[in-house]
Amino acid sequence: MRVLIQLRPSAEIVAAVLDPGVTTTPADVADGLPGVVLDPSFTPVAVPRPVPPAGGDPLSMNQSMTFSLAAEDASVLVRGEIADDELAARLPLLSAYRRDVVGVFSDPVIEPNITCGGDPPVGDWHDVERLLDVGGLAEDGLDGAGVALAVLDTGINLEHVVRHLGREAVLDKERSWMPGSVDGTPGAFEVDHGTMCAFDTLVAAPRATLLDLPVLLSRRQGGSALDGLLSDAVAAFAHLRDVLTAQPEESRALVVSNSWGSFSPRWDFPVGHPGNYSDNPAHPFNVIVASLEQDGADILFAAGNCGRDCRDGRCAYPDRPIVGANSHSRVLSVGGVDVRNERVGYSSQGPGRLSQRKPDLCAYTHFSGSKAFGDDAPDSGTSAACPVAAGVVAAVRTRWPATRLTPGQLRVLLRRTAEDRSTVGFDYDYGYGIVATKGIRDALRRKACA
């Protein structure tokens, strides 16, 4: 089984891991762990220590939680494998053999949220532009200019995006990132799922700056061309932490779009096991997600395509399919509607596992847009809805950086202004409703005059 091993080595080693000018290897951190084959291609990643308020629960990840990356507080992750038939025996021995072992966590397979289907597109991306009133956003100066918009997926083909948008687009190669096992150039990957996602982010934020992080292109033994490991997302988020903290604090803006998730408990420890991912806020990736949001990043995840009406064939959770970081309280979990404002049958329904009130809201999907999968194929799944919503967030960030409107405040604003599709304000089909830019613009104007 592939695992993530969390250790608390000496402060000197943690400081070296945190220093971008120093190269550290897994052996520097965790050499000699019995029964573990370390992965030398995975660069050790620092994990911040959650610091709860006085008397608070260290696992709650509530909005008052802070995080420390000081060398004396942070821990370090390495990736490795333990033979399946030795797993039960080896896990308790690791912490007994090495006192600096904090925990052993699952490294589940992550996959893009490709839709089930065959249904033709409903409308096109210009309908989405109209429904989001992109022209009105631009009139208010909300077009994404200067906002970093990271797409964690299968890589972006910028030439394809530009050709089908009919206008220029910006991609920052220097601030992009890829796993060590991936060859290629940011913005020049094969046209696929990630290209669709990049296109869809630019519908509402045409002047945003794309960052390309092809986490789903990493290879694992027996894997397909379109899946990766959660550990690669851990490393990607660590890179984005550096991107974010390098920005001037007064104009800090980073939007992170994630159209992927874990579909099956097969690659995870059971619920209740300390190494579990799906239901465990203490899993290192869930901690890193919370810490990046605390630093000022807006993080969006697709709710998934495990809706009761049209489940993706990979969906293996018997219930509550919005799992792990996709259900985190500090992210926007995005379901899908078509341009007729009707929920698409494959959009996953709540409750979520880390936070019950998921999805947060819905955005548009199943429209003709990027043509990444052919001229007649829609941009579909919550995979398209998530980047559409990410574009709206990036548009807001043009004039409202995180120091002016925190990620938590922006999530509340998006929920309050969403077009309610129920009679109760929140439901597990639509969340708080469909993203509505008129309400967002009106609320921002009122806030600016307050």
Side-chain angles (χ1 to χ4, degrees):
M1 182 178 183
R2 186 76 67 112
V3 294
L4 286 165
I5 303 169
Q6 185 177 16
L7 302 101
R8 187 164 284 120
S10 68
E12 290 78 10
I13 291 177
V14 177
V17 172
L18 286 165
D19 187 343
V22 176
T23 300
T24 54
T25 69
D28 296 329
V29 177
D31 194 28
L33 288 176
V36 178
V37 179
L38 294 176
D39 183 348
S41 71
F42 185 80
T43 302
V45 174
V47 180
R49 178 190 173 200
V51 182
D57 179 358
L59 298 183
S60 71
M61 298 301 162
N62 62 39
Q63 295 305 303
S64 59
M65 182 80 70
T66 58
F67 298 86
S68 174
L69 264 177
E72 61 271 18
D73 292 332
S75 55
V76 178
L77 285 181
V78 295
R79 182 167 73 187
E81 289 190 6
I82 301 175
D84 290 344
D85 58 355
E86 296 182 4
L87 196 61
R90 287 291 180 188
L91 289 182
L93 290 177
L94 287 178
S95 55
Y97 182 78
R98 288 274 296 264
R99 292 184 178 180
D100 57 349
V101 173
V102 175
V104 181
F105 297 88
S106 65
D107 186 12
V109 172
I110 55 175
E111 302 174 83
N113 286 303
I114 302 169
T115 183
C116 56
D119 291 344
V122 180
D124 62 23
W125 69 278
H126 294 294
D127 293 313
V128 178
E129 269 189 322
R130 172 180 54 80
L131 289 163
L132 296 177
D133 191 14
V134 173
L137 287 171
E139 287 175 7
D140 288 357
L142 307 177
D143 57 10
V147 176
L149 207 171
V151 178
L152 278 68
D153 213 273
T154 64
I156 298 169
N157 188 293
L158 187 64
E159 181 182 353
H160 182 95
V161 170
V162 168
R163 183 165 66 252
H164 289 276
L165 274 176
R167 58 179 182 244
E168 290 301 309
V170 179
L171 187 146
D172 189 333
K173 294 182 180 180
E174 294 300 317
R175 292 190 291 172
S176 296
W177 175 92
M178 52 189 153
S181 62
V182 174
D183 294 323
T185 302
F189 290 98
E190 292 292 324
V191 176
D192 213 306
H193 192 265
T195 299
M196 177 195 77
C197 294
F199 179 99
D200 294 339
T201 65
L202 299 179
V203 174
R207 297 185 63 196
T209 299
L210 295 170
L211 308 185
D212 191 2
L213 293 88
V215 297
L216 298 181
L217 288 186
S218 62
R219 296 290 184 262
R220 63 182 178 86
Q221 186 175 359
S224 73
L226 289 182
D227 63 25
L229 290 162
L230 190 65
S231 49
D232 294 310
V234 168
F237 269 62
H239 167 77
L240 291 174
R241 181 174 60 210
D242 294 338
V243 169
L244 185 65
T245 56
Q247 296 176 352
E249 190 170 342
E250 65 275 7
S251 59
R252 187 167 288 181
L254 172 65
V255 182
V256 187
S257 182
N258 302 274
S259 290
W260 51 267
S262 176
F263 282 81
S264 172
R266 174 187 174 194
W267 303 99
D268 201 353
F269 287 115
V271 174
H273 188 286
N276 169 263
Y277 166 65
S278 65
D279 293 63
N280 181 11
H283 188 284
F285 184 62
N286 294 327
V287 173
I288 285 175
V289 166
S291 68
L292 188 64
E293 186 270 356
Q294 180 75 33
D295 286 341
D298 299 293
I299 305 169
L300 296 90
F301 273 88
N305 298 335
C306 298
R308 288 186 294 270
D309 307 299
C310 177
R311 289 171 64 87
D312 186 303
R314 298 168 297 170
C315 299
Y317 286 97
D319 59 5
R320 299 171 64 200
I322 309 176
V323 309
N326 301 61
S327 65
H328 203 294
S329 62
R330 295 201 183 196
V331 312
L332 273 176
S333 178
V334 184
V337 295
D338 62 28
V339 298
R340 298 171 300 199
N341 288 341
E342 296 295 331
R343 179 184 156 271
V344 290
Y346 47 71
S347 183
S348 290
Q349 291 130 317
R353 288 178 176 249
L354 294 185
S355 178
Q356 287 205 353
R357 288 206 161 198
K358 297 294 173 176
D360 292 274
L361 46 74
C362 287
Y364 297 104
T365 185
H366 217 89
F367 54 86
S368 179
S370 68
K371 303 187 186 298
F373 301 106
D375 288 345
D376 299 324
D379 288 9
S380 63
T382 56
S383 280
C386 178
V388 167
V392 172
V393 173
V396 170
R397 287 298 181 205
T398 316
R399 292 197 169 183
W400 293 84
T403 46
R404 193 178 182 194
L405 186 71
T406 68
Q409 290 171 332
L410 180 51
R411 289 196 301 277
V412 170
L413 185 151
L414 291 169
R415 293 171 187 144
R416 287 180 176 172
T417 58
E419 180 185 340
D420 190 5
R421 299 295 292 173
S422 72
T423 60
V424 295
F426 174 88
D427 63 71
Y428 290 131
D429 287 339
Y430 291 90
Y432 287 91
I434 302 170
V435 63
T437 59
K438 182 181 185 304
I440 294 169
R441 292 167 60 206
D442 290 345
L444 292 176
R445 290 192 193 106
R446 289 193 297 270
K447 188 173 180 63
C449 294

